[in-house]
Amino acid sequence: MKKRVYSFEEGRAEQRKLLGGKGANLAEMTRIGLPVPPGITVTTETCLDYYNEGKKLPAGLADEIRAGIEKLEEKLGKKFGDPENPLLLSVRSGAAISMPGMMDTILNLGLNDKSRDGLAQLTQDRRFANDCYRRFIQMFGDVVMGVPFGDFEKALEELKEKVGVQEDTDLTADDLDVLIGQFKELYTRGTGEEFPQDPFEQLLLAVEAVFASWNTDRAIVYRRVHRIPDDLGTAVNIQTMVFGNMGDDCGTGVAFTRNPATGAKEIYGEYLINAQGEDVVAGIRTPKDISGLKEEMPEVYQEFVEVCHRLDDHYRDLQDIEFTIEKGTLYILQTRSGKRTAAAAVKIATDLVKEGKLTPEEAVMRIDAQQLDQLMHPSLDPEAKVKVLAKGLPASPGAAVGKVVFSADTAEELGKKGEKVLLVRPETTPDDIHGIVMAQAILTSRGGMTSHAAVVARGMGKPCICGCEALRIDLAAKEFVVDGITVKEGDVLTLDGSTGRVMLGEAQLISPELGTEFQTILKWADDIRRLDIRTNADTPEDASRAREFGAQGIGLCRTEHMFMAPGRLPLAQEMILATNEEERRLALEKLLPMQQEDFYGILKAMHDLPVTIRLLDPPLHEFLPNLEELQVEITRLEMAGDNAEELAEKSKVLGTVRNLSEFNPMLGHRGCRLGITFPEIYEMQAKAIFSAVADLVKEGVNVLPEVMIPLVGHPKELEPLREMVINTAEEIKEKENVDFDYLVGTMIELPRACIVADEIAQHADFFSFGTNDLTQTTFGFSRDDAEGKFMHHYLQKKILEENPFAVLDVAGVGKLVEQAVKLGRAAKPELHIGICGEHGGEPKSIAFCHQAGLDYVSCSPFRVPIARLAAAQATISERK
Amino acid sequence: MKKRVYSFEEGRAEQRKLLGGKGANLAEMTRIGLPVPPGITVTTETCLDYYNEGKKLPAGLADEIRAGIEKLEEKLGKKFGDPENPLLLSVRSGAAISMPGMMDTILNLGLNDKSRDGLAQLTQDRRFANDCYRRFIQMFGDVVMGVPFGDFEKALEELKEKVGVQEDTDLTADDLDVLIGQFKELYTRGTGEEFPQDPFEQLLLAVEAVFASWNTDRAIVYRRVHRIPDDLGTAVNIQTMVFGNMGDDCGTGVAFTRNPATGAKEIYGEYLINAQGEDVVAGIRTPKDISGLKEEMPEVYQEFVEVCHRLDDHYRDLQDIEFTIEKGTLYILQTRSGKRTAAAAVKIATDLVKEGKLTPEEAVMRIDAQQLDQLMHPSLDPEAKVKVLAKGLPASPGAAVGKVVFSADTAEELGKKGEKVLLVRPETTPDDIHGIVMAQAILTSRGGMTSHAAVVARGMGKPCICGCEALRIDLAAKEFVVDGITVKEGDVLTLDGSTGRVMLGEAQLISPELGTEFQTILKWADDIRRLDIRTNADTPEDASRAREFGAQGIGLCRTEHMFMAPGRLPLAQEMILATNEEERRLALEKLLPMQQEDFYGILKAMHDLPVTIRLLDPPLHEFLPNLEELQVEITRLEMAGDNAEELAEKSKVLGTVRNLSEFNPMLGHRGCRLGITFPEIYEMQAKAIFSAVADLVKEGVNVLPEVMIPLVGHPKELEPLREMVINTAEEIKEKENVDFDYLVGTMIELPRACIVADEIAQHADFFSFGTNDLTQTTFGFSRDDAEGKFMHHYLQKKILEENPFAVLDVAGVGKLVEQAVKLGRAAKPELHIGICGEHGGEPKSIAFCHQAGLDYVSCSPFRVPIARLAAAQATISERK
């Protein structure tokens, strides 16, 4: 029979999967002799069995737990439920991957009417015992049995009003006796049963509640956002209670061994005197900085600092530690690898290398590539003139501008429409996750640096300001007042999570730069990685920026944006409205010098590096007015009947628009299909490219142009277009009397192209996977329609684990990519292969590209550093 | 060095690929001792070399031809270009696959000023010699050198007017002398060179012209229509001239050894006295029936009949024979397998089996499955009251209704828009091919059963009436007059190609039935084939018809048409406009009994056979009004401003339409995505299916329902829907207290489904390939947009050999199908697999399905017999 219950003495840090992160670390700390209150851990396997057996606790589990508890009783000389010296327990979830705030915790388990008296006697504090008991009933009722937390809170508030006190702590032991009676009644009303007096019954119900909490909606959403598998399960940690709320020689706190925002090597944390742990985390009372403890309890502080250093050394990483001081004695309740900002991650990793604790390779693996995105976020322009409304805690760095909203639902709703919103709440809870996901930044009026909002925002790389107490938020009125100024829903603010400043209006933001430590990490990554990193850029500005971020060339320069520019659109339209080739060529002649100038600028900015230029891709109707709007205008003109000329003109345009309009433009007359039916368009573009190349060569600039034909599905599509490009290049070489190298290749973005990649390779110097379109065609998903109509549903119902437009679908699309690489290289071993779809900047997808043997990935300029790191991580992972 | 020139004595029938069909048959006839004028054949390889060498005659060819000619000279005692006894030659193309009327022929080659005199002396007929010479100059100038034929005709007409005669034959030898001078001038004006007097120069130019004609636009179009590969090349047959135009003891004709329209075993043909072969084929003079020859030249006729029987026996097939009678002597110029109607093909094949000449298996292979389509065309209802305008030759059977058009261009233009047109011409030429392709039927006022129009129409299986001389066609006025009645372009006629009747207005047509011989062939095919044949049918009527044609079940019963029916559309719209699940369920409740009735009817009609019912597939907006039209209506109402109520209502509908409208509906919210987001729709359908099943089971009807989930790309899409279907079935079994079997499976119509077919198979009892959508997604082609915008271009430029929506793309889509079959069967060996895309009725695609190991194909009812035959042919081909 498998062992389901481990005492803390039995486990080790490596048993994370079986015991959960928290349990494994409690065991590890016990092993190395830290002051951990003794306890037992029920394994994650037991949680999975619970679900496999139709949500029933597996047979034998109760006995095993009972045996574990008996050992605790022996060790401590206390008895579970004892009226004189009761054993009290905390029950916490603990999955292999930390999910802060997502899972429910129960404290003071084991209290009943009798053991409450025992606790009172033992501590000589009836008020304390009653307070513990009422908290336990409330927590147990809420978390385990689903009795609304608010009902208990309401009873508490009413009692306080009745006896005329402000604070909970002002209630007397007798008041609390009354409250206990009311809470029990609420419990019975809510559950139909008496509050259980048998502590073992309490315990089993609590264990089951922990297991059940693995599959709450909020846990599922959290796992989806953080890409945590669903089949890990959670362990249950059952630990002897220690009390931080037994008087002023007691306290509780959380601390980090290094600064989780900056990475600086300093103990960083908060504590509350005479409080239980939940008081700190929930952010209800604003805690004190850890440095205060040095004065209040110098010895305890000294011991704590030593523990911190020991843990940091032992784990060779930033630790997030929960501690409690009971009557002057320090207990460590938990340690775990601490969440940190990307900046902190970078600093800590480089510091640990300097400290000789990590190799550069280990340091590279320590950083979450996806999280680096937050370093690439804009920050507030120091020159910007801003009106600071208030200042809160700088809980997660980066600046953001957006409209204020006061509920997660509104944030989600507007965010989905593409609006930039700032979520403003008194404090956030796990139920707000969906709104946090969609918000640009978070602002709370309560809670500290370790409050829910702060932790979650840091994890997601969003700016966050916490504990901004000057804000008086009125959720019902959807407004807050600060310093006499009223800010309403929809008003625009700027938040600076790096300084905690809340500013009125839209302040100027500036683009990020790479700090020295970041550069160091990336330098290590560059030494390790095999994949080249290119960028997708359509302008010289983007090209230069990407180059600064380390891009080794342009993997995708789209040319359609050049047609869309305001001064050029009329010419593009003239070209499209042309009724014959001659007219079309005339319009194209006018566009030629403009395109040439575009290419000149980009090629120059990317001198000495390859630049892949994609010939025109979108369907032509994208350059024309919207059919429906035009039709409405014409109907208006017809009914008004007073402008025959305008009507005639618009009607002509309507004819062309209607003619060009398509049922499924994504699958329509676009890409190389345009090049084949209107060869003169691609000819003009080829001429513009090579004329620019010739000019630059004459100026002594080294350029490496690569012409890319989009949307090829059949070798015979590519063959004539490649020939045309080559002919154009050779003509210009001769005419301009210069020489230069160039490549001609194709996008691989259709399933058919992957299937016949060997034939296509015959006519291509390179392949570049367009995984956006390849995902669309492989799934048969129109991205716009899927994300607008059913993707949310698919993710929620777990039909898809991830949005395949964000993370490359390895099982489907990936198979086609692998096939194309294999066939293409078999036909032409020197074929150069990259990816220029959005997946090129996403770490998991980059790992796939590495494994598939691609030569490079190309991504947006701001994701180039992420890609550099992810490519190195892929190389290291492969070695293992 | 490869041998490029073969004498007729050297070749054999089997050398078709090398010598072309015509050359191989001339050799074969020579070999078996038939009276064939001697000659030589230049191989098809030489034609390919001509193109490979940049359109140059290969080195050494001239010498080899010269050697061949010298042998002919020796044999006949004549000399090429001789002023006394000149050797004259015909030069004809001859590809491996016959392409009638597509290639150019030159007669009387070898004539020049001197040999013309020799011919005059030899025949004692100066007029004849001059006539041959002027014809040769004209033909050579036109065909070889590109001097407009019309210029020569104009000179001839002017001369006739000048000397005051009606017929060419009334011109004297002197008149023709004048004409020869004029023709030479026209030649020089057109080419810049003198008319070549060196017969060998003439010959080499002619050979080159034959090679060049392989790649004329019309030849390319013909090959495309008939799916003939481009890399076969053509041979050149150089044959001694015999003259059918040397007087009234001369003649020429064409004949079939069996009736090519009905298949009856009777010699069938036409001849002209004192004429050259081109006169018959071109349809300029209306020829006499072959039976007339019996009276005019009884001995020649007797000999000819013997030759016909010998050839029919020798080739064990209908032969199409060209013959010439020179001065009472019969010469056979050509024999080939004769084109025939599908009815004739069926009769001839069964007759040949009866005659002991073919095995049933050979007979099955003799029939072009694609051509059977014409037997499945409608015919005229014998009860129909019709107004017969005129009667012509019944040149190709079947009846058709359509609007009259007078040019191939108009036929193409309207045909592409989906209009049914009848092409009416005095006669057709190869330049009309594109119009014939798009027309329902052809009507000509001139030409016989072997005229261009007749031959081509029979090949394509289109009704055709020829030589309807009562028609006075005015092409300029776009009308014809017959019997005082004027028929204008756009007027509707009915043509009956089986009887030759031209009728005014739209007559009632009746659906085809299978004749006894057809049934015999299909019975043989059924004994041979491995594939089952199902049908795509949405109504009990279609189901019954398909069953009569031999369908072994329904492979695709679409359910959306049931929602589209007039009485139901409002309910479907009510369902779609519902703002919540409850409202939607109410509307669905009303649709349920209707759907149940539909399924009851179809399942009953297909009792004892499987019926695959596909759950709702199209996006919901297809059931709503058009967005653009609605917007225009609303704009009108807004501007009129007098009907606020209607405006409000329409605006509400507009909101939903806009909400549901999609960028790429083909890739949007449809198929199983509907089933997942609105489970109640599929639930209603499953309930309707199984309720109908329960009713039928109670009536003692044996039904085999198969529920098919469309558009699955991921196993997790199928899993919950399959579960829902099974639950619904089991509930109904219990509730109705009946038992029945059923299957639940899926369409495979997305590339991803093919890639993960093993995982999908876990949740499917069957796969059915939806190759329409699979072709769309694999190619990234929206069918509507591709066929409207660029497919024509792609086929014309040979980027694609065939329209992949008509013939399954084996190299691309086929690979995915094969992969899905392999993966699916590996995961579930008993998986039943079919195809229900349109390709299921196309012979080449059926051959692929056979090879890929499918269990069945499903096609439209009228294509079931074709599929039965094609499946048998695939089995036989595989054995070889």
Side-chain angles (χ1 to χ4, degrees), chain A residues 760-785:
Chain A
I760 291 176
Q762 312 283 359
H763 309 288
D765 302 321
F766 64 86
F767 281 177
S768 177
F769 287 99
T771 45
N772 297 352
D773 274 358
L774 189 59
T775 300
Q776 295 200 92
T777 45
T778 302
F779 273 90
F781 283 173
S782 161
R783 179 171 188 173
D784 293 331
D785 299 318

Side-chain angles (χ1 to χ4, degrees), chain A residues 627-628 631-632 635-636 638-640 654 658-669 672-673 676-677 679 714 716-717 720 750-753 755-756 759 776-782 784-785 789-790 793-794 797-801 809 811-813 815-816 819, chain B residues 627-628 631-632 635-636 638-640 654 658-669 672-673 676-677 679 714 716-717 720 750-753 755-756 759 776-782 784-785 789-790 793-794 797-801 809 811-813 815-816 819:
Chain A
L627 175 61
E628 192 192 334
Q631 180 65 70
V632 168
T635 307
R636 288 228 171 87
E638 276 170 359
M639 292 200 61
L654 178 70
R658 201 189 292 283
N659 219 0
L660 288 176
S661 82
E662 296 184 303
F663 299 99
N664 298 289
M666 198 254 128
L667 304 178
H669 196 180
C672 68
R673 300 160 197 174
I676 284 167
T677 49
H714 196 291
K716 293 225 171 149
E717 291 177 309
L750 295 171
R752 199 180 191 283
I755 297 166
V756 301
E759 296 175 44
Q776 295 200 92
T777 45
T778 302
F779 273 90
F781 283 173
S782 161
D784 293 331
D785 299 318
K789 301 254 157 61
F790 58 85
H793 222 88
Y794 266 47
K797 291 203 179 173
K798 311 289 281 174
I799 287 166
L800 294 176
E801 294 289 324
D809 162 50
V813 177
K815 282 276 190 305
L816 284 173
Q819 183 178 351
Chain B
L627 176 61
E628 194 192 335
Q631 181 64 71
V632 167
T635 307
R636 288 227 171 86
E638 276 169 0
M639 292 199 62
L654 178 70
R658 200 189 293 283
N659 218 3
L660 288 176
S661 83
E662 296 184 300
F663 299 99
N664 299 287
M666 199 255 128
L667 304 178
H669 197 181
C672 68
R673 300 161 197 172
I676 285 167
T677 49
H714 196 291
K716 294 225 171 153
E717 291 177 310
L750 295 171
R752 198 179 191 285
I755 297 166
V756 301
E759 295 176 44
Q776 296 199 92
T777 45
T778 303
F779 272 90
F781 283 173
S782 160
D784 293 331
D785 299 317
K789 300 257 158 59
F790 58 84
H793 223 87
Y794 266 47
K797 291 204 179 173
K798 309 291 282 175
I799 287 167
L800 295 177
E801 294 289 325
D809 162 49
V813 177
K815 282 276 190 303
L816 285 173
Q819 184 178 351

